[in-house]
Coordinates of all heavy atoms in Angstrom, one line a residue:
I1 N 13.2 -11.2 18.5 CA 13.6 -12.3 17.6 C 12.4 -13.3 17.5 O 12.2 -13.8 16.4 CB 14.8 -13.0 18.2 CG1 16.0 -12.0 18.2 CG2 15.2 -14.2 17.4 CD1 16.5 -11.5 16.9
N2 N 11.7 -13.6 18.5 CA 10.6 -14.6 18.4 C 9.5 -14.1 17.5 O 8.9 -14.9 16.8 CB 10.0 -14.9 19.8 CG 11.0 -15.7 20.7 OD1 11.8 -16.5 20.1 ND2 10.9 -15.6 22.0
N3 N 9.2 -12.8 17.5 CA 8.2 -12.2 16.6 C 8.6 -12.4 15.2 O 7.8 -12.7 14.3 CB 7.9 -10.8 16.9 CG 7.0 -10.6 18.1 OD1 6.3 -11.5 18.5 ND2 7.1 -9.4 18.7
I4 N 9.9 -12.2 14.9 CA 10.4 -12.4 13.5 C 10.3 -13.8 13.1 O 9.8 -14.1 12.0 CB 11.9 -11.9 13.4 CG1 11.9 -10.4 13.6 CG2 12.5 -12.3 12.1 CD1 13.3 -9.8 13.7
I5 N 10.6 -14.7 14.0 CA 10.5 -16.2 13.7 C 9.0 -16.5 13.4 O 8.7 -17.3 12.5 CB 11.1 -17.0 14.8 CG1 12.6 -16.8 14.9 CG2 10.7 -18.5 14.6 CD1 13.2 -17.4 16.1
D6 N 8.1 -15.9 14.1 CA 6.7 -16.1 13.9 C 6.1 -15.4 12.8 O 4.9 -15.4 12.5 CB 5.9 -15.8 15.2 CG 6.2 -16.7 16.4 OD1 6.7 -17.9 16.1 OD2 6.0 -16.4 17.5
G7 N 6.9 -14.6 12.1 CA 6.4 -13.8 10.9 C 5.8 -12.5 11.3 O 5.1 -11.9 10.4
R8 N 5.9 -12.0 12.5 CA 5.3 -10.8 12.9 C 6.4 -9.7 12.9 O 7.1 -9.5 13.9 CB 4.7 -10.9 14.2 CG 3.5 -11.8 14.2 CD 2.8 -11.9 15.5 NE 2.7 -13.3 15.9 CZ 3.0 -13.8 17.1 NH1 3.2 -13.0 18.1 NH2 2.9 -15.1 17.3
I9 N 6.5 -8.9 11.8 CA 7.5 -7.9 11.8 C 6.8 -6.5 11.5 O 7.5 -5.6 11.0 CB 8.6 -8.2 10.8 CG1 8.1 -8.5 9.4 CG2 9.5 -9.3 11.3 CD1 9.2 -8.6 8.3
D10 N 5.5 -6.4 11.7 CA 4.8 -5.2 11.5 C 5.0 -4.6 10.1 O 5.3 -3.4 9.9 CB 5.2 -4.2 12.5 CG 4.7 -4.6 13.9 OD1 3.8 -5.4 14.0 OD2 5.4 -4.2 14.9
S11 N 4.9 -5.4 9.1 CA 5.1 -4.9 7.7 C 3.7 -4.9 7.0 O 3.5 -5.5 6.0 CB 6.0 -5.9 6.9 OG 5.5 -7.2 6.9
Y12 N 2.8 -4.1 7.6 CA 1.5 -3.9 7.1 C 0.9 -2.5 7.4 O 1.5 -1.9 8.3 CB 0.6 -5.0 7.6 CG 0.5 -5.1 9.1 CD1 -0.4 -4.2 9.8 CD2 1.4 -5.9 9.8 CE1 -0.4 -4.2 11.2 CE2 1.3 -5.9 11.2 CZ 0.4 -5.1 11.9 OH 0.4 -5.1 13.3
G13 N -0.1 -2.2 6.8 CA -0.7 -0.9 7.1 C -2.0 -0.7 6.3 O -2.5 -1.6 5.6
Q14 N -2.6 0.4 6.4 CA -3.8 0.8 5.7 C -3.7 2.2 5.1 O -3.1 3.0 5.8 CB -5.1 0.6 6.6 CG -6.4 0.8 5.8 CD -7.6 0.5 6.6 OE1 -7.9 1.3 7.5 NE2 -8.2 -0.6 6.5
V15 N -4.2 2.4 3.9 CA -4.1 3.7 3.3 C -5.4 4.0 2.6 O -6.0 3.1 2.1 CB -2.9 3.8 2.4 CG1 -3.0 2.9 1.2 CG2 -2.7 5.2 1.9
T16 N -5.8 5.2 2.6 CA -6.9 5.7 1.7 C -6.3 6.5 0.6 O -5.5 7.4 0.8 CB -7.9 6.6 2.5 OG1 -8.4 5.8 3.6 CG2 -9.0 7.0 1.6
L17 N -6.6 6.1 -0.7 CA -6.0 6.8 -1.8 C -6.4 8.3 -1.8 O -7.5 8.6 -1.5 CB -6.5 6.1 -3.1 CG -6.2 4.7 -3.3 CD1 -6.7 4.1 -4.6 CD2 -4.7 4.4 -3.2
T18 N -5.5 9.1 -2.2 CA -5.7 10.5 -2.1 C -6.7 11.0 -3.2 O -6.5 10.7 -4.4 CB -4.3 11.2 -2.4 OG1 -3.3 10.8 -1.5 CG2 -4.5 12.7 -2.3
P19 N -7.8 11.6 -2.8 CA -8.8 12.1 -3.8 C -8.2 13.2 -4.6 O -7.3 14.0 -4.1 CB -9.9 12.6 -2.9 CG -9.4 12.7 -1.5 CD -8.2 11.9 -1.4
N20 N -8.7 13.3 -5.8 CA -8.3 14.4 -6.7 C -6.8 14.4 -7.0 O -6.2 15.5 -7.2 CB -8.7 15.8 -6.2 CG -10.2 15.8 -6.1 OD1 -11.0 15.4 -7.0 ND2 -10.7 16.2 -4.9
A21 N -6.2 13.2 -7.0 CA -4.8 13.1 -7.3 C -4.6 11.7 -8.0 O -5.4 10.9 -8.0 CB -3.9 13.1 -6.0
S22 N -3.5 11.6 -8.8 CA -3.3 10.4 -9.5 C -2.3 9.4 -8.9 O -1.9 8.4 -9.4 CB -2.8 10.7 -10.9 OG -1.6 11.4 -10.9
S23 N -1.8 9.8 -7.6 CA -0.9 8.9 -6.9 C -1.0 9.2 -5.4 O -1.4 10.2 -5.0 CB 0.5 9.0 -7.4 OG 1.0 10.3 -7.1
T24 N -0.6 8.1 -4.6 CA -0.6 8.2 -3.2 C 0.7 7.7 -2.7 O 1.1 6.6 -3.1 CB -1.8 7.5 -2.6 OG1 -3.0 8.0 -3.0 CG2 -1.7 7.5 -1.0
V25 N 1.4 8.4 -1.9 CA 2.7 7.9 -1.3 C 2.4 7.3 0.1 O 1.8 8.0 0.9 CB 3.7 9.0 -1.2 CG1 5.0 8.5 -0.6 CG2 4.0 9.6 -2.6
V26 N 2.9 6.1 0.3 CA 2.8 5.5 1.6 C 4.2 5.4 2.2 O 5.2 4.9 1.6 CB 2.3 4.0 1.4 CG1 2.2 3.3 2.8 CG2 0.9 4.1 0.8
S27 N 4.4 6.0 3.4 CA 5.7 6.0 4.1 C 5.8 5.0 5.2 O 4.8 4.9 6.0 CB 6.0 7.4 4.6 OG 6.0 8.3 3.6
N28 N 6.8 4.2 5.3 CA 7.1 3.3 6.4 C 8.6 3.0 6.3 O 9.1 2.6 5.3 CB 6.3 2.1 6.3 CG 6.4 1.2 7.5 OD1 7.5 0.7 7.8 ND2 5.3 1.1 8.3
D29 N 9.3 3.1 7.4 CA 10.7 2.9 7.5 C 11.1 1.5 7.1 O 12.3 1.2 6.8 CB 11.2 3.2 8.9 CG 11.1 4.6 9.3 OD1 11.1 5.5 8.4 OD2 11.1 4.9 10.5
R30 N 10.2 0.5 7.2 CA 10.5 -0.9 6.9 C 10.5 -1.2 5.4 O 10.9 -2.3 5.0 CB 9.6 -1.8 7.7 CG 9.8 -1.8 9.2 CD 8.9 -2.7 9.9 NE 9.2 -2.7 11.3 CZ 8.5 -1.9 12.2 NH1 7.6 -1.1 11.8 NH2 8.9 -2.0 13.5
V31 N 10.0 -0.3 4.6 CA 9.9 -0.6 3.1 C 11.3 -0.3 2.5 O 12.0 0.6 2.9 CB 8.9 0.4 2.5 CG1 8.9 0.2 1.0 CG2 7.5 0.1 3.0
T32 N 11.7 -1.2 1.6 CA 12.9 -1.0 0.8 C 12.6 -0.9 -0.7 O 11.4 -1.3 -1.1 CB 13.9 -2.1 1.1 OG1 13.5 -3.3 0.4 CG2 14.1 -2.3 2.6
D33 N 13.5 -0.6 -1.5 CA 13.3 -0.6 -2.9 C 13.2 -2.1 -3.5 O 12.8 -2.3 -4.6 CB 14.4 0.2 -3.7 CG 15.8 -0.2 -3.3 OD1 16.0 -0.9 -2.2 OD2 16.7 0.2 -4.0
F34 N 13.5 -3.1 -2.6 CA 13.3 -4.5 -3.0 C 12.1 -5.1 -2.4 O 11.8 -6.3 -2.6 CB 14.6 -5.3 -2.7 CG 15.8 -4.9 -3.4 CD1 16.7 -4.1 -2.8 CD2 15.9 -5.2 -4.7 CE1 17.9 -3.7 -3.5 CE2 17.1 -4.8 -5.5 CZ 18.0 -4.0 -4.8
S35 N 11.3 -4.4 -1.7 CA 10.1 -4.9 -1.0 C 9.1 -5.4 -2.1 O 8.9 -4.8 -3.1 CB 9.4 -3.9 -0.1 OG 10.2 -3.6 1.0
V36 N 8.4 -6.5 -1.7 CA 7.2 -6.9 -2.5 C 6.0 -6.4 -1.8 O 5.7 -6.7 -0.7 CB 7.1 -8.5 -2.6 CG1 5.9 -8.9 -3.3 CG2 8.4 -9.0 -3.2
I37 N 5.2 -5.5 -2.6 CA 4.1 -4.8 -2.0 C 2.8 -5.5 -2.4 O 2.6 -5.8 -3.6 CB 4.0 -3.4 -2.5 CG1 5.4 -2.6 -2.3 CG2 2.9 -2.6 -1.8 CD1 5.8 -2.5 -1.0
N38 N 1.9 -5.8 -1.5 CA 0.6 -6.5 -1.7 C -0.5 -5.5 -1.4 O -0.4 -4.9 -0.3 CB 0.5 -7.7 -0.9 CG 1.5 -8.7 -1.2 OD1 1.6 -9.2 -2.3 ND2 2.4 -9.1 -0.2
L39 N -1.4 -5.3 -2.2 CA -2.6 -4.4 -2.0 C -3.8 -5.2 -1.9 O -4.1 -6.0 -2.8 CB -2.6 -3.3 -3.1 CG -1.4 -2.5 -3.4 CD1 -1.6 -1.6 -4.6 CD2 -1.0 -1.7 -2.2
T40 N -4.6 -4.9 -0.9 CA -5.9 -5.6 -0.7 C -7.0 -4.5 -0.5 O -7.0 -3.8 0.5 CB -5.9 -6.5 0.5 OG1 -4.9 -7.5 0.3 CG2 -7.2 -7.3 0.6
P41 N -7.9 -4.3 -1.5 CA -8.9 -3.3 -1.3 C -9.9 -3.7 -0.2 O -10.2 -4.9 0.0 CB -9.7 -3.3 -2.7 CG -9.1 -4.4 -3.5 CD -8.0 -5.0 -2.7
T42 N -10.3 -2.7 0.6 CA -11.3 -2.9 1.7 C -12.6 -2.1 1.5 O -13.3 -2.0 2.5 CB -10.6 -2.7 3.0 OG1 -10.2 -1.3 3.1 CG2 -9.4 -3.6 3.3
S43 N -12.8 -1.5 0.4 CA -14.0 -0.8 0.1 C -14.4 -1.1 -1.4 O -13.5 -1.5 -2.2 CB -13.8 0.7 0.3 OG -13.0 1.2 -0.7
A44 N -15.6 -0.9 -1.7 CA -16.1 -1.2 -3.0 C -15.4 -0.4 -4.1 O -15.0 -0.9 -5.2 CB -17.6 -1.0 -3.1
N45 N -15.2 0.9 -3.8 CA -14.5 1.8 -4.8 C -13.1 1.4 -5.0 O -12.5 1.4 -6.1 CB -14.6 3.2 -4.4 CG -16.0 3.8 -4.7 OD1 -16.7 3.4 -5.7 ND2 -16.5 4.7 -3.9
A46 N -12.4 0.9 -3.9 CA -11.0 0.5 -4.1 C -11.0 -0.8 -4.8 O -10.1 -1.0 -5.7 CB -10.4 0.3 -2.7
A47 N -11.9 -1.7 -4.6 CA -12.0 -3.0 -5.4 C -12.2 -2.7 -6.8 O -11.6 -3.4 -7.7 CB -13.1 -3.9 -4.8
A48 N -13.1 -1.8 -7.2 CA -13.4 -1.4 -8.6 C -12.1 -0.8 -9.2 O -11.8 -1.1 -10.4 CB -14.5 -0.4 -8.6
E49 N -11.4 0.0 -8.5 CA -10.1 0.5 -9.0 C -9.1 -0.6 -9.3 O -8.5 -0.6 -10.4 CB -9.5 1.5 -7.9 CG -8.3 2.2 -8.3 CD -8.5 3.5 -8.9 OE1 -9.5 4.2 -8.6 OE2 -7.7 3.9 -9.7
L50 N -9.0 -1.5 -8.4 CA -8.0 -2.6 -8.6 C -8.5 -3.5 -9.8 O -7.7 -3.8 -10.7 CB -7.9 -3.5 -7.4 CG -6.8 -4.6 -7.5 CD1 -5.4 -4.0 -7.7 CD2 -6.9 -5.4 -6.2
G51 N -9.8 -3.8 -9.9 CA -10.4 -4.6 -10.9 C -10.2 -3.9 -12.3 O -10.1 -4.6 -13.3
A52 N -10.2 -2.6 -12.3 CA -10.1 -1.9 -13.6 C -8.7 -1.9 -14.1 O -8.4 -1.5 -15.2 CB -10.6 -0.5 -13.5
G53 N -7.8 -2.3 -13.2 CA -6.3 -2.3 -13.6 C -5.7 -0.9 -13.5 O -4.6 -0.7 -14.1
S54 N -6.3 0.1 -12.9 CA -5.8 1.4 -12.9 C -5.0 1.7 -11.6 O -4.5 2.8 -11.4 CB -6.9 2.4 -13.1 OG -7.9 2.3 -12.2
M55 N -4.9 0.7 -10.7 CA -4.2 0.9 -9.4 C -3.0 0.0 -9.4 O -3.2 -1.2 -9.6 CB -5.1 0.7 -8.3 CG -4.4 0.9 -6.9 SD -5.5 0.7 -5.5 CE -6.1 -1.0 -5.7
Y56 N -1.8 0.5 -9.2 CA -0.6 -0.3 -9.1 C 0.5 0.4 -8.4 O 0.5 1.6 -8.2 CB -0.1 -0.7 -10.5 CG 0.2 0.4 -11.4 CD1 1.5 0.9 -11.5 CD2 -0.8 1.1 -12.1 CE1 1.8 2.0 -12.3 CE2 -0.5 2.2 -12.9 CZ 0.9 2.6 -13.0 OH 1.2 3.7 -13.8
V57 N 1.5 -0.4 -7.9 CA 2.6 0.2 -7.2 C 3.6 0.7 -8.3 O 4.1 -0.1 -9.1 CB 3.3 -0.8 -6.3 CG1 4.6 -0.2 -5.7 CG2 2.4 -1.3 -5.2
S58 N 3.8 2.0 -8.4 CA 4.6 2.5 -9.5 C 6.0 2.9 -9.1 O 6.9 3.1 -10.0 CB 3.9 3.8 -10.1 OG 3.7 4.7 -9.0
A59 N 6.3 2.9 -7.8 CA 7.6 3.2 -7.3 C 7.9 2.7 -5.9 O 6.9 2.6 -5.1 CB 7.9 4.7 -7.4
K60 N 9.1 2.2 -5.7 CA 9.5 1.8 -4.3 C 10.8 2.4 -4.0 O 11.7 2.6 -4.9 CB 9.6 0.3 -4.3 CG 8.4 -0.5 -4.6 CD 8.6 -2.0 -4.5 CE 9.2 -2.5 -5.8 NZ 9.3 -4.0 -5.8
A61 N 11.0 2.8 -2.8 CA 12.3 3.4 -2.3 C 12.5 3.0 -0.9 O 11.5 2.5 -0.2 CB 12.2 4.9 -2.5
V62 N 13.6 3.3 -0.3 CA 13.8 3.0 1.1 C 12.9 4.0 1.9 O 13.0 5.2 1.7 CB 15.3 3.3 1.5 CG1 15.5 3.2 3.0 CG2 16.2 2.3 0.7
G63 N 12.0 3.4 2.6 CA 11.1 4.2 3.4 C 9.7 4.6 2.8 O 8.9 5.2 3.5
S64 N 9.5 4.2 1.6 CA 8.2 4.6 1.0 C 7.9 3.8 -0.3 O 8.8 3.2 -0.9 CB 8.1 6.1 0.7 OG 9.0 6.4 -0.4
F65 N 6.6 3.8 -0.7 CA 6.2 3.3 -2.0 C 5.1 4.2 -2.5 O 4.4 4.8 -1.7 CB 5.9 1.8 -2.0 CG 4.7 1.4 -1.2 CD1 3.4 1.4 -1.7 CD2 4.9 1.0 0.1 CE1 2.3 1.0 -0.9 CE2 3.8 0.7 0.9 CZ 2.5 0.6 0.4
T66 N 4.9 4.2 -3.8 CA 3.9 5.0 -4.5 C 2.9 4.1 -5.2 O 3.2 3.2 -5.9 CB 4.5 6.0 -5.5 OG1 5.5 6.8 -4.8 CG2 3.5 6.9 -6.1
I67 N 1.6 4.4 -4.9 CA 0.5 3.8 -5.6 C 0.0 4.7 -6.6 O -0.5 5.9 -6.3 CB -0.6 3.4 -4.6 CG1 -0.1 2.5 -3.5 CG2 -1.8 2.7 -5.4 CD1 -1.1 2.2 -2.4
T68 N 0.0 4.3 -7.9 CA -0.6 5.2 -9.0 C -2.1 4.7 -9.1 O -2.3 3.5 -9.1 CB 0.1 5.0 -10.3 OG1 1.4 5.6 -10.1 CG2 -0.5 5.7 -11.4
H69 N -3.0 5.6 -9.3 CA -4.4 5.3 -9.4 C -5.2 6.3 -10.2 O -4.6 7.4 -10.6 CB -5.0 5.1 -8.0 CG -4.7 6.3 -7.1 ND1 -5.4 7.5 -7.1 CD2 -3.7 6.5 -6.1 CE1 -4.9 8.3 -6.2 NE2 -3.9 7.7 -5.6
A70 N -6.5 6.1 -10.4 CA -7.3 7.1 -11.1 C -7.4 8.3 -10.3 O -7.5 8.3 -9.1 CB -8.7 6.5 -11.4
N71 N -7.5 9.5 -11.0 CA -7.7 10.8 -10.4 C -9.2 11.1 -10.3 O -9.8 11.4 -11.4 CB -6.9 11.8 -11.2 CG -7.0 13.2 -10.6 OD1 -7.8 13.5 -9.8 ND2 -6.2 14.1 -11.1
N72 N -9.8 10.9 -9.2 CA -11.2 11.2 -9.0 C -11.4 11.7 -7.6 O -10.5 11.7 -6.8 CB -12.1 10.0 -9.4 CG -11.9 8.8 -8.5 OD1 -11.8 9.0 -7.3 ND2 -11.8 7.7 -9.1
A73 N -12.7 12.1 -7.3 CA -13.0 12.7 -6.0 C -13.4 11.7 -5.0 O -13.7 12.1 -3.8 CB -14.1 13.7 -6.2
Q74 N -13.4 10.4 -5.3 CA -13.8 9.4 -4.3 C -12.9 9.5 -3.0 O -11.7 9.5 -3.1 CB -13.7 8.0 -4.9 CG -14.7 7.8 -6.0 CD -14.5 6.5 -6.7 OE1 -13.4 5.9 -6.7 NE2 -15.6 6.0 -7.4
T75 N -13.5 9.5 -1.8 CA -12.8 9.6 -0.6 C -12.7 8.3 0.2 O -12.3 8.3 1.3 CB -13.4 10.7 0.3 OG1 -14.7 10.4 0.6 CG2 -13.3 12.0 -0.4
D76 N -13.3 7.2 -0.4 CA -13.4 5.9 0.4 C -12.6 4.8 -0.2 O -12.9 3.6 0.0 CB -14.9 5.6 0.5 CG -15.5 5.2 -0.8 OD1 -15.0 5.6 -1.8 OD2 -16.6 4.5 -0.8
R77 N -11.6 5.1 -1.0 CA -10.8 4.0 -1.7 C -9.7 3.6 -0.7 O -8.6 4.0 -0.7 CB -10.2 4.5 -3.0 CG -11.3 4.8 -4.0 CD -10.7 5.3 -5.3 NE -10.1 6.6 -5.1 CZ -9.3 7.2 -5.9 NH1 -9.0 6.6 -7.1 NH2 -8.8 8.4 -5.6
T78 N -10.1 2.7 0.2 CA -9.3 2.2 1.3 C -8.6 0.9 1.0 O -9.3 0.0 0.5 CB -10.1 2.1 2.6 OG1 -10.7 3.4 2.9 CG2 -9.2 1.8 3.8
I79 N -7.4 0.8 1.3 CA -6.6 -0.4 0.9 C -5.7 -0.9 2.1 O -5.0 0.0 2.7 CB -5.7 -0.1 -0.3 CG1 -6.5 0.3 -1.5 CG2 -4.8 -1.3 -0.6 CD1 -5.7 1.1 -2.5
D80 N -5.8 -2.2 2.4 CA -4.8 -2.7 3.3 C -3.5 -3.0 2.5 O -3.7 -3.4 1.3 CB -5.3 -4.1 3.9 CG -6.4 -3.8 5.0 OD1 -6.5 -2.7 5.5 OD2 -7.0 -4.8 5.3
N81 N -2.4 -2.8 3.0 CA -1.2 -3.1 2.3 C -0.2 -3.9 3.2 O -0.2 -3.7 4.4 CB -0.5 -1.8 1.8 CG -0.3 -0.8 2.8 OD1 0.6 -0.9 3.6 ND2 -1.2 0.2 2.8
S82 N 0.6 -4.7 2.6 CA 1.6 -5.5 3.4 C 2.8 -5.6 2.4 O 2.7 -5.5 1.2 CB 1.1 -6.8 3.8 OG 0.7 -7.6 2.7
W83 N 3.9 -5.9 3.0 CA 5.1 -6.0 2.2 C 6.1 -7.0 2.9 O 6.0 -7.2 4.1 CB 5.8 -4.7 1.9 CG 6.1 -3.9 3.2 CD1 7.2 -3.9 3.9 CD2 5.2 -2.9 3.8 NE1 7.1 -3.0 5.0 CE2 5.9 -2.4 4.9 CE3 3.9 -2.5 3.5 CZ2 5.3 -1.5 5.8 CZ3 3.4 -1.5 4.4 CH2 4.0 -1.1 5.5
S84 N 7.0 -7.5 2.1 CA 8.1 -8.3 2.5 C 9.3 -7.9 1.8 O 9.3 -7.4 0.7 CB 7.7 -9.8 2.3 OG 7.6 -10.0 0.9
G85 N 10.4 -8.2 2.5 CA 11.7 -7.9 1.9 C 12.3 -6.6 2.3 O 11.7 -5.7 2.8

């Protein structure tokens, strides 16, 4: 209970976008279809993807969310993610 009061409910993670695919599914039991998902790029290619407007959360469900992104071979598009709700 004290961790929840302090805002620490482990609602964060890191993901590398799937190369040669147009979406990446992130699974976590704490995600719901009402969660607010925040994406923070941690590599230059991920920042370029976000800046181009081609990366966004396209679906949310209980236990997962989907990030839609450009389909390319880059293997270093790493993103920190957090959610609430």
Side-chain angles (χ1 to χ4, degrees):
I1 298 294
N2 287 334
N3 283 339
I4 293 171
I5 292 169
D6 291 339
R8 290 184 237 140
I9 56 172
D10 295 333
S11 57
Y12 56 85
Q14 188 175 73
V15 63
T16 300
L17 300 180
T18 306
N20 302 310
S22 60
S23 65
T24 300
V25 176
V26 179
S27 298
N28 188 295
D29 293 339
R30 292 181 178 94
V31 174
T32 72
D33 50 346
F34 294 105
S35 294
V36 175
I37 311 295
N38 301 297
L39 304 175
T40 304
T42 59
S43 68
N45 283 329
E49 181 93 27
L50 185 64
S54 56
M55 179 175 63
Y56 59 94
V57 176
S58 57
K60 297 182 279 187
V62 175
S64 69
F65 62 92
T66 302
I67 303 171
T68 294
H69 51 79
N71 181 346
N72 63 45
Q74 294 170 338
T75 59
D76 65 340
R77 296 178 294 167
T78 304
I79 300 160
D80 286 344
N81 52 76
S82 62
W83 53 90
S84 61

